[in-house]
Amino acid sequence: MLSRLERELEREARQLGRDLIRGQGDHDDYDDYDDDDEDDLLDMEMSDIVFTPLMSRSRPLSRHVAAATPRVQSFQVNVNILEAQKLAGVNINPAVFIRVGDQKKHTATQKSTNCPFYNENFQFEFHETPEVLFDKVIEIKVYHRRTLPFLTSHVGTFKIDIATVFHEPDHRFYEKWAPLTDPADTRSGAKGYVKATLSVLMKGEALNAGLPPATSGANDDIDKNLMLPRGMPSDRPWARFRVRVYKADGLPTMDAGLMAKMSKVTDRRVFIDPYVQVTFAGQQGETSVASATSCPVWNEEISFIEQFPPLAQRIRVQVLDDAKMGDVALATHFLDLQQISDPTRNGFNPTFGPCWVNLYGSPRNSTLGDVHQALNQGLGEGIFYRGRILLALSVEIYSSPLAVATDSGSAPLAMVKGTLSRLGLRKKRGSKKEKRKEVSSQLGDESGEAGVEVPEAVTVDVEEIHPLPEGFLGEREDFLLFASLFEVTMMDPSVGTRPMTFELSIGNRGKAVTAGRSKKSQSREEARHSREELRQSRDDLGEEAQGLLESEEELDREAVLSPEPENRSVSEPMRPQPTEYDRSFQCIPLHAPWEKNKPCLFVWSQFEDHSFRLYQANWLSKMADRLEIGLDEVERLGRRPRTNVKERLVHVLLELVTSCKQFRLSSNRLAQFRPNNLDARRKDFIKKNLLMLARRAMRVKQRLTRRTLKQHLTGVKKLLSKLRHLAKEPQNTIPDVFLWLLSGSKRLAYVRIPAHSVIFSLVEDQRGRDCGRVTTLYMKSPGSSASEIFAKLEVYLWLGQAKYSKEAITSLPDEFLPVYEESGEEEAAPVVTATRRMPIRLCCQDSRYFQLRCHLYQARGLMAGDDNGLSDPFAKVLFSTQCQVTKVSPDTLSPAWGECLLFDRVLLEGTMEDLGQDPPLVIVHILDYDAVGSPKPLGRAYAEPELKPAEALYRKPRLRFYDISMGRMPAGELLAAFELIELDYSTFGEVTRSAALFVRVKTCQSGVNYRWNHFSNNPH
């Protein structure tokens, strides 16, 4: 057994040898992996590290959430064709054709040469979201052109997606050789090389003037300068990507709108004929069509032939409706190959499933007039659950023309050749039918040799496969989703005073069903009969959401019902009212003595229990959240002089290393129920990557100085992005939770809650961050940007298996007691015999009044709101159900308000301990005043008030800077102080604290501007 010193010397010797081989270049984080690193990590003593607490109630709208929202941008793809070498053929006339997306261009034709020279530049303009652009393929083709166009022959092709180019340094490949292959002749090797420069420019992005050293045109340099990402081998064998599509469940029935009238005269209740279209690296394949069903069964495999590693990063799986008037996308999902593979040493090839994939998209159950149809095509984050599909992926790499290495994940999924009619599957109609026949005929020649040798041509094959055995993914388990509304405020003023309801759903369970009210000509008996028919048809409709509004007139004639009798997914109507003081926002008071305080919603559902995936994601997400909080604090301290910024960064790094150590010790004890190949691979992959992150963190800690702090801070941010990448679970079986705000049956705003963030576990680190806690959620209207807030909610959330359902009530704060519908009396716990008995509301037994003092001193670095480059800023402060504004400072970007806004008699529920650990947020809106029109937003700041109990001695508040953000962009700083003072009402009719305390406002350099004024107890 080697000593620790000997292990360090041996590891340093190996590292020195690797550096010499790489020419002293920057080594990859994964290439220097050493088995001794794991032992060193376990030997570290980190028992004195205090972890950063994770807040739920006082959590602001995250800036990286706004940054993750796709937005349309302008891009320019530049392709510079320089020359070509070693083109196949004799006495050819080569011309290069370039295709980017749907745009095509070509070079001039060179006569009688195999080594043409072009030096032609082509530009392609795009105005799309990055995720749409990055999936487009850059295709470079060389043709031998002749006098007659039909005699033109194809020499070779090179394909690469824009995402690969964009992720290169400076977003480009500079003077690299693109190897050409012939898709119709995969066994003959390279057909030549094209020297080109590919670059992707984004509008507003600075172009790097420095150019890498140009390479010579010698033939010996071609193999060393191929147009491939760093670390990718030059010899890329052919591989077969097998995408298995088994079945789907809970797809939208598309029976709303015009189809709803047709369903009354016909017996048909499902108006879709679904099929699946898979697109990868410019190739496309389709399954057969299932007729008139929302739960189709295909059991087919679509296979693609492509070089490995591929120069495409995502596989698009799209469910479409085979309509006569044109196929319509029902939902889209992308398989990211980077999340389901490990290209490093001792890694694994792409593998996935078999696993259910949840689909999201538009809330509308009809294609006519659907303004959010783009969401069904995968353009943006889905805002509604639209079913799920059972998929699997495996890759077979052909190591030589006569041998193939099969991935271990495909062993239990054997193929069945031919016999398409045995399962009664229908081919596509019209033109797609002929295409299907052509693919099937190509299969007929090679069906007996598939998997034995490299196919002669690149084809897309569709074949039947055996269905998965019954219970292969495990039996369905009962799950409970429980929520209670604690506060609804900051609602958009457009809601007015119309009654509002909230809808809680997970999957298709809990979606509100619309029931039409009786018109003047319709009797009550007819209305009751229509409701009974609606309940009877619920099973045939697949429990889908029904009847979205066609016009505003229907709003007054519609009512929403809970679709399942055992669930309470829709709240009772609640009427908003304006906020106190300033009436800029609407709110719904949910505190005593209001009769409907703290309404509860709950949904029972069934899913396969693969919670271990969510537990692992929670552990990694909490590590990333703590690291992000620490880095944000380090950045704030770095902007101030004479701070302990270095010590804080050291603590952040030690906290990361300790978290990695704890995960390493506990990961082996995490039980996995029916894991597939990807689950086992990801377990080792995550463990290896965490060791690398810990090693990098310790290296930064050892080399950290105050002079190099900014440089190392950039490196630590890269560790954060890698940790976020590890935390993304590609096989998330349990769908996300949706909370919708409804007015009648019109959907106004929503919030999508990841299932892993509210899942329950007996282990604290595996439990969701917001499970069993009052958390702050920000609703937004469909189609708006992520930075826009339609309403701010404080909600208690809990999701878990039915056997832990009592934890949903016992996890409540002690002062909140459940009230049940049967007795109407307060009880501390549900009856044991009624396992599905859930409360309808919560009643608080502990509440107190506070006084919030907002000392707004000044702001700086604000955005310009006027044409003169200045603004007329003022601040609007919102806390609970009260809102106040400051004066307007004209023509300035650094306003000095020097005001104290007093929020008197603010009622807060909960214990002082809970309020001190996770206080409610103060939200400060900075706006630009305009004499004509509404104020223009300049940014938003979030602040945690300093809690001061009644029995504690009063101390002056401390000023601090708060970041102002405008969506994803920083928008200045706010210098302010916020103190939340408990009022003592022990003497009836008197407020002992506010009667004795005064505030003065006076200009000074080091404190708040004070002025002596008596605090009024009148809230108005």
Side-chain angles (χ1 to χ4, degrees):
M1 194 67 184
L2 297 177
S3 64
R4 183 171 182 177
L5 179 59
E6 292 174 339
R7 291 201 307 267
E8 291 180 357
L9 293 176
E10 184 178 354
R11 184 174 62 252
E12 290 178 359
R14 287 196 297 265
Q15 181 60 49
L16 179 59
R18 282 191 290 266
D19 290 340
L20 292 175
I21 294 176
R22 281 189 291 264
Q24 302 296 334
D26 294 335
H27 56 274
D28 191 270
D29 297 339
Y30 305 100
D31 293 339
D32 57 359
Y33 174 75
D34 199 330
D35 296 337
D36 294 336
D37 295 338
E38 187 173 347
D39 299 332
D40 295 344
L41 181 64
L42 297 178
D43 293 340
M44 295 180 183
E45 185 64 32
M46 305 257 180
S47 58
D48 56 341
I49 298 298
V50 179
F51 287 100
T52 302
L54 298 177
M55 304 299 180
S56 294
R57 191 174 189 179
S58 60
R59 180 171 52 191
L61 182 63
S62 177
R63 188 180 300 176
H64 80 269
V65 173
T69 303
R71 61 175 180 175
V72 176
Q73 296 175 277
S74 296
F75 291 89
Q76 184 183 85
V77 179
N78 293 318
V79 180
N80 184 19
I81 303 298
L82 299 174
E83 59 177 315
Q85 292 282 343
K86 300 182 180 180
L87 295 180
V90 178
N91 195 23
I92 62 175
N93 304 323
V96 181
F97 286 72
I98 304 99
R99 178 175 180 175
V100 182
D102 297 330
Q103 303 182 34
K104 300 179 182 179
K105 297 182 181 181
H106 63 87
T107 66
T109 303
Q110 301 294 328
K111 300 293 184 178
S112 302
T113 178
N114 294 74
C115 303
F117 182 82
Y118 300 101
N119 195 19
E120 297 185 33
N121 189 66
F122 305 93
Q123 296 180 349
F124 302 85
E125 303 287 343
F126 296 94
H127 189 67
E128 296 175 342
T129 60
E131 60 178 7
V132 175
L133 177 70
F134 290 170
D135 283 334
K136 295 183 182 296
V137 176
I138 302 175
E139 192 174 45
I140 301 176
K141 289 186 176 181
V142 177
Y143 284 94
H144 169 34
R145 305 191 71 177
R146 300 183 182 180
T147 305
L148 298 178
F150 65 88
L151 295 178
T152 299
S153 60
H154 176 248
V155 177
T157 302
F158 174 80
K159 294 188 297 183
I160 185 173
D161 63 356
I162 297 180
T164 304
V165 180
F166 188 82
H167 293 152
E168 284 294 299
D170 299 327
H171 311 316
R172 66 181 176 182
F173 283 101
Y174 183 73
E175 295 188 359
K176 297 294 184 179
W177 292 94
L180 303 177
T181 57
D182 187 1
D185 186 11
T186 59
R187 300 179 181 178
S188 60
K191 299 294 183 177
Y193 301 88
V194 174
K195 190 175 185 180
T197 297
L198 307 182
S199 63
V200 181
L201 300 178
M202 189 167 49
K203 185 178 180 180
E205 186 179 25
L207 178 63
N208 186 8
L211 298 177
T215 58
S216 62
N219 298 339
D220 297 338
D221 295 333
I222 292 181
D223 293 336
K224 299 180 181 179
N225 295 280
L226 294 179
M227 191 175 291
L228 299 175
R230 178 177 176 267
M232 183 174 291
S234 59
D235 184 15
R236 296 192 300 145
W238 292 96
R240 184 181 294 273
F241 291 75
R242 301 183 182 272
V243 180
R244 298 178 179 87
V245 183
Y246 293 98
K247 57 184 177 179
D249 181 32
L251 298 180
T253 54
M254 311 300 285
D255 62 343
L258 180 62
M259 294 302 177
K261 298 179 181 179
M262 296 182 59
S263 63
K264 295 179 181 180
V265 296
T266 63
D267 295 334
R268 187 172 180 179
R269 293 294 184 268
V270 180
F271 294 90
I272 60 171
D273 299 324
Y275 70 97
V276 178
Q277 182 184 89
V278 183
T279 306
F280 174 61
Q283 306 180 59
Q284 181 175 295
E286 298 172 349
T287 66
S288 59
V289 178
S291 300
T293 176
S294 61
C295 301
V297 178
W298 293 290
N299 291 323
E300 298 181 24
E301 177 188 273
I302 303 175
S303 60
F304 304 91
I305 302 297
E306 185 62 37
Q307 288 182 295
F308 188 88
L311 296 179
Q313 300 185 5
R314 297 203 302 180
I315 300 176
R316 187 183 70 178
V317 180
Q318 193 171 68
V319 183
L320 297 103
D321 176 23
D322 184 29
K324 295 182 179 180
M325 301 300 293
D327 296 356
V328 179
L330 300 177
T332 304
H333 180 77
F334 293 93
L335 292 176
D336 191 345
L337 299 183
Q338 292 183 343
Q339 293 184 357
I340 59 177
S341 64
D342 179 15
T344 62
R345 187 182 63 175
N346 299 327
F348 59 94
N349 296 332
T351 177
F352 183 87
C355 176
W356 284 105
V357 172
N358 299 304
L359 305 174
Y360 304 94
S362 169
R364 195 168 181 84
N365 202 19
S366 174
T367 56
L368 297 178
D370 189 1
V371 297
H372 305 298
Q373 176 62 25
L375 299 179
N376 300 333
Q377 301 173 1
L379 308 182
E381 181 191 43
I383 61 178
F384 210 68
Y385 179 80
R386 295 179 68 87
R388 61 178 186 168
I389 183 172
L390 185 58
L391 297 176
L393 170 68
S394 63
V395 178
E396 298 176 357
I397 301 177
Y398 297 94
S399 57
S400 67
L402 299 177
V404 58
T406 304
D407 186 45
S408 61
S410 61
L413 305 173
M415 294 286 301
V416 177
K417 306 295 180 181
T419 65
L420 185 63
S421 60
R422 185 168 53 191
L423 296 181
L425 297 178
R426 180 167 64 90
K427 299 180 181 179
K428 285 193 58 60
R429 296 190 288 260
S431 60
K432 298 184 180 62
K433 182 176 181 181
E434 281 79 19
K435 181 178 180 181
R436 174 87 180 200
K437 286 183 178 179
E438 180 182 354
V439 173
S440 300
S441 64
Q442 293 175 359
L443 282 175
D445 298 335
E446 299 177 359
S447 59
E449 298 179 354
V452 177
E453 60 182 5
V454 178
E456 294 182 357
V458 174
T459 59
V460 179
D461 301 337
V462 183
E463 300 175 344
E464 273 188 57
I465 58 175
H466 276 307
L468 291 177
E470 190 70 23
F472 181 82
L473 301 178
E475 300 296 330
R476 290 192 176 189
E477 301 287 343
D478 290 335
F479 281 80
L480 169 65
L481 172 62
F482 180 82
S484 180
L485 300 174
F486 275 59
E487 183 180 271
V488 182
T489 185
M490 212 170 94
M491 300 177 67
D492 193 275
S494 62
V495 301
T497 58
R498 293 172 296 177
M500 300 289 161
T501 57
F502 287 89
E503 174 201 87
L504 180 71
S505 65
I506 179 171
N508 281 328
R509 304 287 291 182
K511 293 182 178 178
V513 175
T514 306
R517 296 180 182 175
S518 60
K519 303 179 182 179
K520 294 182 179 180
S521 60
Q522 185 182 17
S523 63
R524 295 183 179 179
E525 295 179 357
E526 292 176 348
R528 187 182 305 108
H529 179 68
S530 64
R531 294 190 185 98
E532 291 177 356
E533 290 182 349
L534 185 62
R535 296 190 189 97
Q536 292 176 1
S537 63
R538 172 170 51 86
D539 296 335
D540 297 335
L541 295 176
E543 298 172 316
E544 281 294 321
Q546 304 296 320
L548 295 178
L549 286 182
E550 298 294 334
S551 63
E552 286 294 335
E553 280 108 24
E554 296 185 17
L555 180 61
D556 298 330
R557 303 196 304 267
E558 300 288 337
V560 289
L561 304 174
S562 181
E564 301 93 8
E566 70 274 12
N567 293 335
R568 187 184 180 89
S569 60
V570 181
S571 68
E572 297 182 4
M574 298 174 286
R575 193 175 296 274
Q577 64 185 36
T579 53
E580 298 183 47
Y581 299 108
D582 185 80
R583 302 167 68 90
S584 301
F585 299 100
Q586 299 290 105
C587 65
I588 299 178
L590 297 176
H591 51 74
W594 201 54
E595 59 179 0
K596 299 178 182 178
N597 58 324
K598 309 293 183 293
C600 296
L601 305 174
F602 52 88
V603 178
W604 294 93
S605 57
Q606 288 187 338
F607 302 102
E608 292 79 9
D609 183 20
H610 295 129
S611 302
F612 67 90
R613 298 170 181 163
L614 305 186
Y615 296 159
Q616 184 173 259
N618 281 331
W619 202 312
L620 298 173
S621 296
K622 290 182 178 180
M623 294 171 57
D625 291 341
R626 293 190 181 99
L627 180 58
E628 183 178 10
I629 293 174
L631 293 181
D632 290 342
E633 186 176 353
V634 169
E635 284 189 329
R636 287 195 298 268
L637 294 175
R639 296 195 295 262
R640 309 286 174 258
R642 297 184 299 275
T643 58
N644 58 341
V645 58
K646 177 186 174 182
E647 291 75 10
R648 182 68 181 101
L649 182 56
V650 170
H651 184 273
V652 170
L653 296 174
L654 292 178
E655 187 176 355
L656 173 61
V657 175
T658 305
S659 300
C660 295
K661 176 182 177 180
Q662 290 184 353
F663 183 89
R664 166 66 182 85
L665 295 175
S666 303
S667 60
N668 294 331
R669 297 195 296 267
L670 179 60
Q672 295 185 350
F673 178 73
R674 294 179 184 257
N676 54 31
N677 186 41
L678 181 57
D679 292 323
R681 300 281 188 163
R682 269 182 57 85
K683 185 177 181 180
D684 298 333
F685 173 71
I686 292 174
K687 191 184 303 182
K688 180 181 72 172
N689 278 266
L690 289 182
L691 288 174
M692 294 298 99
L693 293 179
R695 180 176 181 179
R696 289 291 302 274
M698 293 302 298
R699 186 183 305 167
V700 172
K701 173 183 173 296
Q702 296 171 358
R703 302 176 180 178
L704 182 62
T705 62
R706 291 189 177 272
R707 292 183 177 179
T708 61
L709 189 138
K710 290 184 178 181
Q711 176 184 356
H712 288 300
L713 185 60
T714 303
V716 179
K717 289 183 179 179
K718 294 181 181 180
L719 301 184
L720 174 60
S721 63
K722 291 182 180 179
L723 193 56
R724 290 288 185 194
H725 178 75
L726 293 177
K728 293 181 180 179
E729 175 55 56
Q731 301 183 127
N732 197 350
T733 305
I734 302 179
D736 291 344
V737 178
F738 284 91
L739 186 61
W740 276 90
L741 175 65
L742 310 179
S743 177
S745 60
K746 184 177 181 180
R747 299 182 178 273
L748 300 180
Y750 76 99
V751 58
R752 179 173 170 177
I753 308 162
H756 71 84
S757 65
V758 293
I759 192 72
F760 174 77
S761 174
L762 296 175
V763 181
E764 176 64 27
D765 290 323
Q766 300 174 3
R767 190 180 309 162
R769 174 176 175 176
D770 300 326
C771 178
R773 305 177 66 178
V774 179
T775 180
T776 299
L777 301 177
Y778 302 93
M779 306 189 80
K780 70 172 186 176
S781 59
S784 63
S785 64
S787 59
E788 297 182 10
I789 299 177
F790 192 91
K792 171 181 169 291
L793 309 180
E794 288 188 2
V795 187
Y796 173 88
L797 292 167
W798 191 94
L799 172 64
Q801 300 180 41
K803 59 183 179 181
Y804 300 127
S805 58
K806 64 179 181 180
E807 296 289 342
I809 307 302
T810 58
S811 299
L812 286 167
D814 296 335
E815 64 277 6
F816 292 94
L817 299 181
V819 178
Y820 296 89
E821 188 173 12
E822 293 83 2
S823 62
E825 298 178 357
E826 300 168 6
E827 302 179 12
V831 181
V832 178
T833 56
T835 57
R836 295 208 170 195
R837 187 186 179 202
M838 302 303 297
I840 60 173
R841 61 187 177 92
L842 302 179
C843 182
C844 182
Q845 303 297 309
D846 189 4
S847 61
R848 49 184 54 83
Y849 283 95
F850 289 85
Q851 186 180 84
L852 176 67
R853 299 176 183 177
C854 304
H855 307 276
L856 301 180
Y857 186 61
Q858 68 177 19
R860 64 183 184 184
L862 298 182
M863 300 176 63
D866 298 333
D867 295 336
N868 58 0
L870 300 175
S871 299
D872 304 319
F874 68 96
K876 184 180 295 184
V877 183
L878 178 77
F879 183 73
S880 186
T881 58
Q882 299 184 17
C883 180
Q884 296 191 40
V885 297
T886 65
K887 62 183 180 181
V888 178
S889 297
D891 297 331
T892 180
L893 298 181
S894 300
W897 295 297
E899 293 189 40
C900 176
L901 301 182
L902 181 65
F903 294 74
D904 206 2
R905 294 174 58 85
V906 179
L907 179 63
L908 297 180
E909 297 174 328
T911 62
M912 290 294 296
E913 182 181 0
D914 294 338
L915 294 175
Q917 294 177 353
D918 202 0
L921 275 178
V922 178
I923 303 181
V924 183
H925 301 261
I926 309 297
L927 301 105
D928 174 39
Y929 173 78
D930 289 330
V932 179
S934 59
K936 183 186 302 182
L938 299 178
R940 191 183 297 119
Y942 302 87
E944 298 178 20
E946 182 182 356
L947 187 65
K948 297 183 178 180
E951 62 274 7
L953 295 177
Y954 179 78
R955 293 183 179 180
K956 292 182 180 181
R958 297 183 57 185
L959 289 173
R960 58 161 293 187
F961 283 96
Y962 296 92
D963 293 332
I964 302 174
S965 59
M966 186 67 177
R968 69 185 73 191
M969 300 297 296
E973 291 180 315
L974 173 67
L975 182 61
F978 302 89
E979 47 183 348
L980 189 60
I981 304 174
E982 182 186 9
L983 302 180
D984 187 4
Y985 278 89
S986 59
T987 304
F988 180 78
E990 297 182 2
V991 187
T992 59
R993 186 116 196 178
S994 63
L997 293 178
F998 298 87
V999 172
R1000 67 176 183 174
V1001 180
K1002 175 184 176 183
T1003 303
C1004 61
Q1005 295 181 352
S1006 60
V1008 184
N1009 298 337
Y1010 286 99
R1011 179 176 60 202
W1012 289 99
N1013 276 334
H1014 180 65
F1015 278 176
S1016 173
N1017 292 330
N1018 188 354
H1020 303 289

